[in-house]
Amino acid sequence: MRKLNKSQGFHKEILSLLSLSLKWCLAHPYVDSIICGVSKLSQLEQNIEALHGEGLGEELKQQCDEIGKDLMKHRISYFK
């Protein structure tokens, strides 16, 4: 969690964390859809708003990919 918390500042001037997350998912060609759980209309509206505008761009996508790779090194595998 330390690495994720440390790295979260790189996007704040560009996108919200919600927008960054959704756009990162859509930036991958193997992702066909995103299923977002919402319990209020306002959450659905936030998700829709987060997707407006341009995509991530290659540089920001690569930064997110690197953070993801680094985080995956430390995950627990329950099905060894």
Side-chain angles (χ1 to χ4, degrees):
M1 289 308 291
R2 243 180 304 135
K3 287 194 181 271
L4 181 60
N5 289 334
K6 183 179 177 184
S7 64
Q8 283 182 359
F10 81 93
H11 67 85
K12 288 187 179 188
E13 294 178 12
I14 303 168
L15 300 166
S16 70
L17 187 56
L18 174 63
S19 184
L20 177 73
S21 301
L22 294 176
K23 288 181 180 203
W24 178 77
C25 289
L26 289 176
H28 292 85
Y30 49 83
V31 174
D32 292 327
S33 60
I34 300 172
I35 300 172
C36 298
V38 298
S39 57
K40 299 181 218 172
L41 179 59
S42 62
Q43 292 171 329
L44 178 61
E45 291 169 342
Q46 287 175 333
N47 289 341
I48 292 169
E49 182 63 32
L51 293 170
H52 285 278
E54 295 182 27
L56 279 188
E58 192 57 34
E59 183 179 345
L60 189 52
K61 179 185 172 291
Q62 287 177 356
Q63 287 178 325
C64 291
D65 289 344
E66 288 301 315
I67 292 168
K69 286 177 190 174
D70 196 37
L71 290 172
M72 293 299 283
K73 292 178 193 174
H74 306 289
R75 76 178 194 268
I76 298 170
S77 179
Y78 293 100
F79 304 106
K80 288 184 178 181

